[in-house]
Each structure stands twice: as C-alpha cells, then as structure tokens.
Amino acid sequence: FTGNDPVSDAMFDALEESLISADVGVATTMTIVEDMRARAKAEKIVDPQQLYQLLKDEMVLMFGETAPSVEWRNEDGPHVLLIAGVNGSGKTTTAGKIAFKLANQGRSVLLGAADTFRAAAGEQLGIWAERANVGMIRHKEGADPGAVAYDTVDAAIARNTDNVIIDTAGRLHTKVNLMEELKKVQRVVDKRLPGAPHEVLLILDATTGQNGLQQASQFTDALAVTGIALTKLDGTAKGGMAIAIYKQLGIPIKLIGVGEGVDDLQPFDARQFVDALFA
Amino acid sequence: SLAKRLDSVFKSIRGQGRLTEANMRDALQQIRTALLEADVNYQVVKKFIADVQEAAVGAKVLDSVHPGQQIVKIVHDELVTIMGEKNAPLTRSQKPPTVIMLVGLQGQGKTTSAGKLAVHLKKSGHKTLLVGADVYRPAAIKQLEIVAQQADAEMFSLGEHADPVETCLMAMGEASLRGCDTIVLDTAGRLHVDDDMMLEARQIADQLNPHEILFVANAMTGQDAVNSARQFHEALPLTGVVLTQMDGDARGGAAISLIEVTGCPVKFVGVGEKLDALEPFHPERMANQILG
Ligand SMILES: Nc1nc2c(ncn2[C@@H]2O[C@H](COP(=O)(O)OP(=O)(O)OP(=O)(O)O)[C@@H](O)[C@H]2O)c(=O)[nH]1
Ligand SMILES: Nc1nc2c(ncn2[C@@H]2O[C@H](COP(=O)(O)OP(=O)(O)OP(=O)(O)O)[C@@H](O)[C@H]2O)c(=O)[nH]1
Ligand SMILES: [Mg+2]
Ligand SMILES: [Mg+2]
C-alpha cells in the first residue's frame, strides 16, 4: 500500500481498534485484520466502506444463515434445558425470561431451583416462576443440587410437562469441585431421562473480556455446552468475545439478554449483532 | 508471560551489539499485546506504551546489558505507580456514622461485598448497618437480610415498594438507634446509560453525602470498563473501586482502566463468595497478574 492509498494502514489500525474495543480479543482480531489486508490487496479494494461491508458480510456468514433453533421440543418426554455460567452473569434472570416466553407460547414449564447455595437464590427464581405463572421445584438451602435437578425432571415426567429449565449456582470455571458438582447435575439428569439435558446454555455477560473464552472452553469441557445466551447487551459492551468463542469452539449464540424485564430476551440475529459491533 | 516474550525478543539481539530503535519497537509491541490480552483498554494501552517508551529512553535502556529485564522492570513499576503504590484505606467520618455507598453495573458483586465490608469492619470493632436500597431485583432485600445475618450485622430497609432515596435517608436515624457507626448502602445494579437510574444514584449521593462511594466491578470486565467507569465517575463523586471475582483466572486489566478513568484507588478485592473473602488491594501483585 502507498501513503495515498485510501485503504491504508490507518484504516487497518482503525479496524484493529474497533475489534479490540468490542472485546473480539487480540488473537482473533489479528487474524481478521490480516485476512482483510490480504483480501484488500488480492481484490484491489480501495474503498474502506466496501472493506467494512465485506468484513461484516463475512462475519454474518460465519455465524450461519439460519438462526440456531430455540424450539426446545422433545418427542418422548420433557425437553430439559440446563443453565450454567459464572457468578452474576444473568442465569436466574434468563431462566425466568425463558420460562415466561415458553409459557406464553402455551407450553407447560417447570423450573428447577438447583442453586441451593447463594442467599435468596430460591426466592429470586420463585418470583420469576410467579411472573411466568409456572411451577418450580425447590429444596431447602444447602440441599444437593443434583437432587433438585433429579426431582424436577422426575416431576416433569410424571406431570407430562413440556419444558424443564434448571437454574444452577454461579461458579468460576477455575473451581474444580464446583465444576464437578455441575457435571454431577448433568449426569443425574441424564440418568433420570436418557439424553437429557437436551440443551446446555452457557450464560455469558456481554461486559466480559477475553476471560469469556476461558469460561466457554472450561464449561464446554465439563458439560458439552450447546449454546450461549449473551446477556446485558442493553449496555454499551458489544460482546465481541462471542465471535472468538464461535471461531474457536463452534458454540453458537442462541439468545441475547437486553434488559431486566420478562420480555427482554431475543433470539440471536447475526446481522443485528455484527452491525451493532461496528456501530 | 511478558518476561518470557521480551526475553525472546532480546535473545535474538544479544551478541549482535547494541539494542536498536527497531528492537525497542518490537519490545513495545510485545508489551502492548500482553496488556491488550490482559483486557487493559485500547486507549489506556496506547498512553501506557508512550509512557514506557519515554521512561526507557530516559533510562538509557539502549545502553543496558540486560535490556529485556530492564524493560520488564520499567513496565512493572509503571503499572504499580498507576495503581497507587500502597493500599488506600477506607475513609472514616470524624462524626459517626461513616456512610459507604456501593454502586455499579448489574451482577458485579455489590450485595455480597456489602456483607464482606461488614465482616471486615467488625474485626476493627465497627458495627455496621446494611441498607437495602435495591427495590427492583427480585428478592434483593431478602438476599441482603440473609447476608446481614451471615455477617452478624444490622440490616434496614423500607421494603421493595419504598423509594430508595427515602430508605437511605431513614437509615441514618436507624443507625444511631441501633448503635451502628457505619452504614453501607447496597444499591441496585444499574447501567451507566440508564438516565433514570443514574439520576436515582445521584439523588442518593446528594442526600446522603457518603464518605465513600465505591464502584464495584468484576475483574473479568473487558474493554467496556472505561465506558461504565467514566459515566459513573461523571455522575457521582466516586472515591474508590472494589474489584470482585479476583479468585478467578481473569488477568484483570480492567483494574488499570478503572483506576485511570476514575482517578480512584482500588480499595478492596473480592476473592470468593463467602463473606470473609475480602482483601486489601496489592498493586504489586496486581501488576504481576496483569503481565501474566
Ligand atoms: N441490564 C441487564 N441486566 C441483566 C440482564 N440479565 C440479567 N441482568 C441483571 O444482572 C443481575 C444478575 O442477574 P442474575 O440472574 O441474578 O445472575 P445469576 O447468574 O443468576 O447470578 P448468580 O446466581 O449469583 O451467579 C441482576 O441484577 C439482573 O437483573 C440483561 O440482559 N440486561
Ligand atoms: N467467586 C466470587 N464470586 C463473587 C465474588 N463477589 C460476589 N460474587 C458472586 O457474584 C454473584 C453476584 O453477586 P451479587 O452480590 O448478587 O451482585 P450484585 O452486584 O449485588 O448484583 P445486582 O444487585 O443484581 O446488581 C453472586 O453469585 C456472588 O456470590 C467474588 O469475589 N468471588
Ligand atoms: Mg442465579
Ligand atoms: Mg445486589
């Protein structure tokens, strides 16, 4: 490139800054910028606007043309959704929002309060159960989370419930014993209903930096995460680490949280996400 | 780690004579990458690198025998200087009660930190009143009630149909009644871009005149730390930061961003979910963690 080339070094610096500032992460950003440099050269692109559009289209394609399914039906028994993630990411709120959405679609829903540790966790989920007008299984504080999960699936089978949503306690992926506890919850659920949980949602706070990749990697090693719900996108954080997670681990974003109310849950839309990233 | 990276940059130089401007550029690039990987904000890194470059020129690193080690020391020392070389204690009011207000985005650890502060203050003989000013989050007040019990602290709220400002105002009288010399106001998580909620926070601060307004943020926060911190700082006279979930494996570069943007020290770090998991902030240790 020469100094008077509009698609200049300054433009690639600006691209690097917007990607890093969106929490896309250093390694992924470097890859993207290098790819774009090569393409600009190969395709003799001279207009920065054109290059940005190319990148955006490419990112949307990467996520896939069709939005991932959140139908959550199971033909032979309740569909079981397990919710996990680090502390404060929005698990309980997301569980409540999903319950509300499914109940409004006419499904029967049962919530499982498997966070038996944190202060007022059961009460908090209980209020969401009321808002969604759905049932909830809860044991007393300090009870075994596996037992709650088991009882919830068991009750759902007995009652012919369409959807089970199990909320778990926040835990750092670095805490081995807590990750083991989570694996046990999954095993127990599978034991009661082979094949369950049918969906394992990792709840990821959009303000999280590159540690999000570590979280996704460790939680998926433990549980085979099938999807991500990216929360707090109503703030100014872009949630760019979801791109690194998809590129490196292949885990799709299925839902986004855009507020604290019952309706503040949306299916993931790649085009909207990518446009917002560069806004 | 940064030390290893710089080592490999300078290994290729050793025996080739003097360190050059070009090698210096490589070293600065490695430092920049290390800080960005640690989630330090992009603009903050830019300024930091310029400062390191200046310090390196001043320290005549180009004439040094061990340029790699010298640069690591310059970077480490610059980080420690930014973060405030020693621990900053909590302000106490001359005339009780001391009022501490906790603010921050959703889910960062405010309510838990309120309990931790009560436990911490109890060790030096202070009696704390925890105030439930979060009327929005389901069971928030119940959560603080339980936290207060676990911390063996007093707790006050007007319930979740009350006005948060009024709750905080009434807490002042309540503290005297119950012989508490410290009040911790646990406020609702709020977005810096939510005007109504930021106005509420300002009203609480205006009416209560807290001796400490602590911004509570998660150590895994990424680039957005500067945005939220900046707007909270513009809205409220912040006096300090509490960095939570430091028991994880996040590099914690947000600490630099928060300190730079608010001009406030990190007063405490949260290192676990239990109420005894609060430690004073150690700039030296944080610098090592950030550099990986
Ligand atoms: N603005 C905003 N706030 C959210 C969103 N999702 C959750 N929150 C808030 O984030 C805070 C934490 O939410 P919780 O649902 O308690 O998070 P959690 O992961 O269950 O927390 P733990 O169980 O303690 O680990 C609450 O104040 C929620 O209202 C979102 O999409 N947008
Ligand atoms: N591992 C770890 N977890 C923490 C720490 N501090 C808080 N938590 C956990 O983080 C989650 C959120 O804590 P809260 O105290 O409810 O956060 P908050 O800021 O009051 O949340 P909102 O009121 O909804 O804004 C809980 O699961 C806490 O147990 C910490 O230092 N380490
Ligand atoms: Mg929860
Ligand atoms: Mg709280």
Side-chain angles (χ1 to χ4, degrees):
Chain A
F1 297 91
T2 60
N4 49 24
D5 185 344
V7 180
S8 60
D9 274 349
M11 200 224 81
F12 288 108
D13 285 348
L15 175 59
E16 179 191 76
E17 177 167 2
S18 55
L19 289 171
I20 300 240
S21 302
D23 283 317
V24 172
V26 179
T28 307
T29 296
M30 294 315 177
T31 307
I32 291 173
V33 172
E34 285 320 302
D35 284 352
M36 286 296 118
R37 265 189 209 276
R39 290 197 65 164
K41 199 167 185 197
E43 299 174 32
K44 300 199 171 31
I45 299 174
V46 292
D47 172 17
Q49 288 298 346
Q50 190 184 347
L51 197 69
Y52 264 93
Q53 195 53 48
L54 191 70
L55 175 58
K56 284 207 249 175
D57 291 346
E58 201 131 298
M59 280 186 170
V60 173
L61 270 178
M62 175 197 75
F63 280 118
E65 288 293 347
T66 45
S69 159
V70 287
E71 255 310 288
W72 294 335
R73 289 181 197 282
N74 181 23
E75 291 311 324
D76 28 47
H79 179 283
V80 180
L81 163 63
L82 180 63
I83 297 217
V86 302
N87 307 72
S89 57
K91 296 177 292 301
T92 304
T93 305
T94 303
K97 289 173 182 175
I98 293 174
F100 185 85
K101 192 172 231 88
L102 290 173
N104 272 13
Q105 290 173 7
R107 308 269 187 101
S108 55
V109 182
L110 191 58
L111 282 164
D115 179 353
T116 57
F117 169 75
R118 208 210 67 214
E123 286 88 338
Q124 184 186 4
L125 190 65
I127 292 171
W128 280 101
E130 281 172 33
R131 286 176 179 177
N133 197 15
V134 303
M136 183 175 92
I137 299 290
R138 182 188 172 188
H139 292 188
K140 64 177 168 38
E141 167 146 357
D144 172 27
V148 179
Y150 186 95
D151 287 355
T152 307
V153 176
D154 191 59
I157 290 171
R159 304 176 196 181
N160 242 326
T161 309
D162 297 319
N163 289 83
V164 168
I165 303 166
I166 301 175
D167 181 27
T168 62
R171 70 203 67 223
L172 292 180
H173 49 287
T174 49
K175 311 236 158 143
V176 177
N177 57 330
L178 294 181
M179 294 306 284
E180 283 306 312
E181 173 187 274
L182 195 54
K183 284 192 213 170
K184 176 163 172 252
V185 168
Q186 183 173 44
R187 276 201 304 276
V188 150
V189 165
D190 179 53
K191 209 161 176 217
R192 184 62 192 89
L193 180 64
H198 309 94
E199 180 89 55
V200 177
L201 267 193
L202 174 67
I203 312 301
L204 196 53
D205 184 331
T207 66
T208 306
Q210 293 161 84
N211 194 252
L213 188 56
Q214 270 296 73
Q215 292 175 27
S217 153
Q218 301 280 43
F219 272 88
T220 227
D221 277 354
L223 295 181
V225 171
T226 56
I228 287 175
L230 195 56
T231 62
K232 309 178 195 173
L233 276 173
D234 46 321
T236 51
K238 307 283 183 158
M241 95 303 261
I243 294 178
I245 291 173
Y246 192 75
K247 268 183 174 263
Q248 295 197 30
L249 301 171
I251 306 171
I253 308 171
K254 298 212 167 187
L255 297 166
I256 62 173
V258 292
E260 303 187 68
V262 281
D263 288 318
D264 295 328
L265 186 72
Q266 295 171 4
F268 176 68
D269 180 314
R271 175 62 61 184
Q272 280 182 14
F273 179 76
V274 171
D275 283 343
L277 202 80
F278 288 105
Chain B
S1 73
L2 181 63
K4 284 210 185 72
R5 287 174 197 237
L6 290 181
D7 218 34
S8 67
V9 167
F10 292 116
K11 247 198 188 68
S12 63
I13 303 164
R14 208 166 299 160
Q16 294 173 21
R18 278 191 53 181
L19 181 59
T20 66
E21 296 278 349
N23 297 321
M24 193 53 167
R25 242 194 329 273
D26 279 347
L28 290 175
Q29 185 58 27
Q30 293 293 343
I31 295 164
R32 182 173 172 271
T33 302
L35 293 174
L36 288 176
E37 286 179 347
D39 288 325
V40 182
N41 177 266
Y42 193 91
Q43 290 296 342
V44 171
V45 171
K46 214 168 183 171
K47 176 169 179 305
F48 185 84
I49 294 296
D51 293 346
V52 167
Q53 181 153 25
E54 202 168 313
V57 164
K60 296 188 167 31
V61 171
L62 291 183
D63 302 332
S64 146
V65 175
H66 295 289
Q69 289 176 12
Q70 196 169 349
I71 292 194
V72 173
K73 175 142 176 40
I74 289 173
V75 172
H76 176 92
D77 292 350
E78 285 282 315
L79 285 176
V80 172
T81 304
I82 290 173
M83 292 193 280
E85 302 167 345
K86 54 180 170 35
N87 179 256
L90 272 182
T91 306
R92 288 224 62 91
S93 164
Q94 291 288 18
K95 149 174 166 326
T98 294
V99 181
I100 301 171
M101 180 182 181
L102 300 182
V103 298
L105 265 55
Q106 291 86 351
Q108 304 299 297
K110 295 176 293 302
T111 304
T112 309
S113 298
K116 290 179 180 180
L117 282 170
V119 168
H120 170 77
L121 289 167
K122 198 178 187 99
K123 292 189 196 140
S124 41
H126 297 289
K127 191 161 180 225
T128 305
L129 179 69
L130 297 180
V131 180
D134 180 354
V135 304
Y136 310 97
R137 168 175 157 152
I141 291 180
K142 183 80 188 136
Q143 182 188 4
L144 190 65
E145 260 174 41
I146 296 172
V147 164
Q149 281 170 15
Q150 293 171 342
D152 189 27
E154 295 286 334
M155 189 266 178
F156 172 74
S157 94
L158 287 177
E160 55 186 34
H161 299 293
D163 167 37
V165 183
E166 191 161 336
T167 299
C168 293
L169 281 171
M170 294 224 52
M172 297 294 286
E174 206 57 36
S176 319
L177 277 175
R178 302 196 210 173
C180 294
D181 66 1
T182 310
I183 295 177
V184 177
L185 307 173
D186 180 27
T187 70
R190 70 201 64 224
L191 291 177
H192 48 297
V193 292
D194 184 334
D195 294 340
D196 292 335
M197 289 300 281
M198 292 307 286
L199 176 61
E200 173 191 285
R202 276 210 303 285
Q203 287 170 339
I204 295 174
D206 287 345
Q207 301 270 357
L208 275 290
N209 246 315
H211 305 91
E212 289 274 4
I213 302 182
L214 303 178
F215 184 67
V216 181
N218 195 318
M220 63 170 94
T221 308
Q223 298 285 316
D224 194 57
V226 292
N227 298 326
S228 48
R230 183 169 297 128
Q231 300 215 21
F232 270 81
H233 180 56
E234 283 173 14
L236 304 164
L238 299 179
T239 59
V241 172
V242 176
L243 204 58
T244 62
Q245 300 198 24
M246 282 281 286
D247 44 319
D249 60 357
R251 294 267 290 275
I256 302 282
S257 308
L258 294 171
I259 293 168
E260 284 279 81
V261 163
T262 64
C264 297
V266 173
K267 297 216 170 185
F268 293 102
V269 296
V271 292
E273 294 194 66
K274 301 223 170 74
L275 299 186
D276 56 5
L278 189 74
E279 289 176 4
F281 179 66
H282 291 294
E284 290 276 347
R285 275 188 229 162
M286 193 74 212
N288 289 334
Q289 181 172 319
I290 288 174
L291 292 178

